[in-house]
Amino acid sequence: MYHGGMNRRLRSPLRVALLPFALVALAAASPPKKSLTPSEVIARAPPSAWVAVPDEDLLLIDFDTGQRVAVALAPDFAPVHVANIRTLARAGWFGGITINRVQDNYVTQWGDLTEKKPLPAGIVARPPAEYERPLKGLAFHPIGYRDAYAARTGHAGGWPVASDGRSAWLAHCYGMVGVGRNLAPDTGTGAELYAVIGHAPRHLDRNITTVGRVLGGMEALSALPRGTEALGFYKEGFPRPAIVSARLAADMPAADRPRYEVMRSDSIDFANWVLARAHRKDDFFVRPAGAVDICNAMPPVRALGPSR
Amino acid sequence: MYHGGMNRRLRSPLRVALLPFALVALAAASPPKKSLTPSEVIARAPPSAWVAVPDEDLLLIDFDTGQRVAVALAPDFAPVHVANIRTLARAGWFGGITINRVQDNYVTQWGDLTEKKPLPAGIVARPPAEYERPLKGLAFHPIGYRDAYAARTGHAGGWPVASDGRSAWLAHCYGMVGVGRNLAPDTGTGAELYAVIGHAPRHLDRNITTVGRVLGGMEALSALPRGTEALGFYKEGFPRPAIVSARLAADMPAADRPRYEVMRSDSIDFANWVLARAHRKDDFFVRPAGAVDICNAMPPVRALGPSR
């Protein structure tokens, strides 16, 4: 009973039919590669399998704790909000902004506690709700496994994406960054942001603008004391981590710029990596799942460039 | 484009057909209740909708940080391992045990760093791999939504459960507690445990024995500094939180016993709550997901009894 055979249901013809062509082709053409572990696939991926996050899309947030959080911005999904965030960063607006909310298994959120700090010139005060975009125009690679929330999920440009076949949107996975807003859908500017620190709250998909992903320094957001007020807000007087500066890599001296690379969603190495995540061959696993959900398949990231 | 209509694909007849009978009956019989938010459903649930965790199944772990973690044990899923954990607790064995591993978006793990502390009499040294059990005998209530990993998911006795139709197993959701082991499947005794602190690592399902769920004090495990060594292990010399005592509520003076109640999986209130999670009516939501995955539907818990 405890050591039954592989779960054949997950390996039915229907499941195979859902696999994207590239993965099926790979499985057929390169059986030896199937025995690599996910880490081995990453270690062996050639330079061409990686793409650098553009300096204009890399936001470095330095906290007074000495910790740095690196966020990749997603202009292909939220162009107006990302433009706002760039404007805020370039105006030095984020300096002094504090983390005000840490709700366990949900989000860490930072913003202007006074709600009175004037926004700089050039900010679109009521940007459109950039909750989704056309699927067309994205190089979308379906993951090929079921999802509780969306008709299909997959990857595009290094992002976790969900789609109904016409629209596409960023999936609210661990480490994704979104725009805090009030009840009206177009009330977020990008001045108040949050990062997911728990199980993917996918019910937020298409209810909020998602603007990026934490690529480095996640601990500075996930390991904080949880707030004791409703929704995880910190009590008045609680010592809050404060932002010293938030800058785009493009605005830093070239020698100081961190460099992050994300594995290309359209590379054979990435397809191999997803397969290896679904069909674990590590010695530890006695029963590979035969599937992987989109938020357990966040594209691999590596940090290069100067450390600090 | 950004404000399209409801996602009809998620509301197709097939989806409704998958809903458990109780939910369908409810939706038909009590339409007004559908407008309640999840919090409102919890607030209105009568006492009969809640069931107390038995004192024999409630493990209270006190750390030298002053924090307490409350874990509900799952003897219906892992009887031998749970018996071991009770024996370890009653022998005072957990005193001095430290947290040695905190891997971001994965697990916090505690155990005997020396690996030499003798186990007390009565411990089954090589318990069977209690990775799954027969579905038969469980009051299983399907959640009615898709899952990336298992043919079906749902709830039984207040637990998140996955099943292939014959076997059933606890799903590795946020806050679930499992038994650390070496490569051989039957090498975990229950002396080394971990809790999930990130997106549900469902690939561990049926690869490891799951013994319980953190019901209280999760922050003491999730908000810790992340380990800097491989797999999130703390570096030698890093100050590790240590367990002062781990006791069963049954072994505490009656007046000191914490009391936790979990919403009954077989109550109409729970069915209502799952529906409310899937079809959010809070003013914030502009597009309810129409579904919820098993790890975003962890049965509600409430703490009663003496605080400390």
Side-chain angles (χ1 to χ4, degrees):
Chain A
M1 167 172 64
Y2 294 107
H3 300 284
M6 296 293 293
N7 180 347
R8 296 187 186 285
R9 187 179 284 263
L10 286 177
R11 293 165 167 272
S12 71
L14 177 63
R15 293 230 40 69
V16 173
L18 290 171
L19 282 173
F21 175 73
L23 299 189
V24 175
L26 166 83
S30 317
K33 287 203 177 171
K34 286 185 69 186
S35 64
L36 296 181
T37 67
S39 301
E40 288 167 345
V41 174
I42 292 174
R44 296 184 188 199
S48 60
W50 299 89
V51 61
V53 176
D55 289 344
E56 194 78 11
D57 296 343
L58 186 61
L59 181 70
L60 290 315
I61 310 176
D62 290 328
F63 286 93
D64 59 1
T65 57
Q67 292 169 299
R68 169 176 285 180
V69 174
V71 175
L73 300 172
D76 288 343
F77 289 85
V80 183
H81 287 82
V82 166
N84 267 0
I85 291 169
R86 289 194 190 112
T87 300
L88 290 162
R90 289 190 158 130
W93 188 88
F94 286 110
I97 291 303
T98 51
I99 290 176
N100 304 313
R101 177 189 186 192
V102 185
Q103 185 171 358
D104 196 61
N105 193 20
Y106 201 43
V107 297
T108 289
Q109 192 162 329
W110 58 99
D112 170 28
L113 194 57
T114 70
E115 296 188 35
K116 288 179 181 164
K117 187 171 180 173
L119 297 177
I123 289 290
V124 178
R126 295 190 71 118
E130 297 177 302
Y131 297 170
E132 54 192 305
R133 55 152 289 158
L135 177 60
K136 196 173 170 179
L138 286 180
F140 179 71
H141 294 259
I143 193 169
Y145 304 112
R146 289 186 301 260
D147 182 69
Y149 293 91
R152 56 185 93 169
T153 57
H155 300 87
W159 297 100
V161 172
S163 174
D164 60 6
R166 290 173 297 115
S167 292
W169 55 92
L170 293 173
H172 261 83
C173 299
Y174 189 94
M176 293 297 286
V177 176
V179 172
R181 65 163 169 90
N182 294 323
L183 289 183
D186 62 350
T187 46
T189 58
E192 175 132 1
L193 298 170
Y194 66 86
V196 173
I197 61 162
H199 186 72
R202 297 281 308 284
H203 54 282
L204 295 178
D205 287 6
R206 293 197 286 178
N207 282 284
I208 207 156
T209 299
T210 313
V211 290
R213 175 187 173 195
V214 175
L215 298 189
M218 186 65 195
E219 174 179 4
L221 304 172
S222 61
L224 293 171
R226 277 41 180 166
T228 53
E229 301 295 285
L231 304 177
F233 279 93
Y234 283 140
K235 216 181 179 67
E236 202 180 323
F238 187 87
R240 297 154 201 251
I243 294 174
V244 175
S245 77
R247 292 169 294 172
L248 297 169
D251 297 333
M252 298 169 69
D256 295 347
R257 291 179 196 168
R259 183 181 170 88
Y260 283 89
E261 293 187 344
V262 179
M263 194 179 272
R264 295 178 64 108
S265 315
D266 58 356
S267 67
I268 193 71
D269 305 276
F270 184 73
N272 262 322
W273 178 80
V274 171
L275 272 180
R277 296 278 289 178
H279 304 278
R280 304 271 185 155
K281 301 294 184 183
D282 315 47
D283 289 338
F284 182 84
F285 289 91
V286 297
R287 191 196 288 265
V292 59
D293 89 308
I294 185 67
C295 291
N296 272 323
M298 293 292 278
V301 172
R302 61 182 186 182
L304 307 170
S307 62
R308 55 187 287 281
Chain B
M1 165 175 63
Y2 293 108
H3 300 284
M6 297 292 293
N7 181 348
R8 296 188 185 283
R9 186 179 284 262
L10 286 177
R11 294 166 167 270
S12 72
L14 176 63
R15 293 232 36 72
V16 173
L18 289 173
L19 283 174
F21 175 73
L23 299 188
V24 174
L26 166 82
S30 320
K33 288 202 177 172
K34 286 185 67 185
S35 64
L36 295 181
T37 67
S39 301
E40 288 167 346
V41 173
I42 292 174
R44 296 183 188 199
S48 60
W50 299 89
V51 60
V53 176
D55 289 343
E56 194 77 9
D57 296 344
L58 186 61
L59 182 69
L60 290 314
I61 309 175
D62 291 328
F63 286 92
D64 60 0
T65 57
Q67 292 170 299
R68 169 177 284 180
V69 173
V71 175
L73 301 172
D76 289 343
F77 289 85
V80 182
H81 287 82
V82 166
N84 268 1
I85 292 168
R86 288 193 189 113
T87 299
L88 290 162
R90 290 192 157 128
W93 189 87
F94 287 109
I97 292 302
T98 52
I99 291 176
N100 305 312
R101 177 189 186 193
V102 185
Q103 185 171 357
D104 197 62
N105 192 21
Y106 200 44
V107 297
T108 289
Q109 192 163 331
W110 57 98
D112 170 29
L113 193 57
T114 70
E115 296 188 33
K116 288 178 183 167
K117 187 171 179 173
L119 297 177
I123 289 290
V124 179
R126 293 191 73 118
E130 297 177 302
Y131 297 169
E132 53 192 304
R133 53 152 289 158
L135 177 60
K136 196 172 170 179
L138 286 180
F140 179 72
H141 294 260
I143 193 169
Y145 304 112
R146 289 185 301 260
D147 183 70
Y149 293 91
R152 53 186 94 169
T153 57
H155 300 86
W159 297 102
V161 172
S163 174
D164 60 6
R166 290 172 297 114
S167 293
W169 55 93
L170 293 173
H172 262 82
C173 299
Y174 189 93
M176 294 297 287
V177 176
V179 172
R181 66 163 170 89
N182 293 323
L183 288 184
D186 62 351
T187 46
T189 59
E192 175 132 2
L193 298 170
Y194 65 86
V196 173
I197 62 163
H199 186 71
R202 296 280 309 283
H203 53 282
L204 295 178
D205 287 6
R206 292 196 285 178
N207 283 284
I208 208 158
T209 299
T210 314
V211 290
R213 174 187 173 195
V214 175
L215 299 188
M218 186 66 195
E219 174 180 3
L221 303 172
S222 62
L224 294 170
R226 276 41 179 165
T228 53
E229 300 296 284
L231 303 177
F233 279 92
Y234 282 140
K235 217 181 180 68
E236 202 180 324
F238 187 88
R240 297 155 201 249
I243 294 175
V244 175
S245 77
R247 292 169 294 171
L248 297 170
D251 298 333
M252 298 169 69
D256 294 347
R257 290 180 197 168
R259 183 182 169 88
Y260 283 88
E261 293 187 343
V262 179
M263 194 179 272
R264 295 178 64 106
S265 313
D266 58 356
S267 67
I268 194 72
D269 305 276
F270 185 72
N272 261 322
W273 178 80
V274 171
L275 272 180
R277 297 277 290 179
H279 304 279
R280 304 269 185 155
K281 301 295 183 182
D282 316 45
D283 289 338
F284 182 85
F285 289 91
V286 298
R287 189 196 289 264
V292 59
D293 88 308
I294 186 67
C295 292
N296 272 324
M298 292 294 277
V301 172
R302 60 182 186 181
L304 308 170
S307 63
R308 56 187 285 281

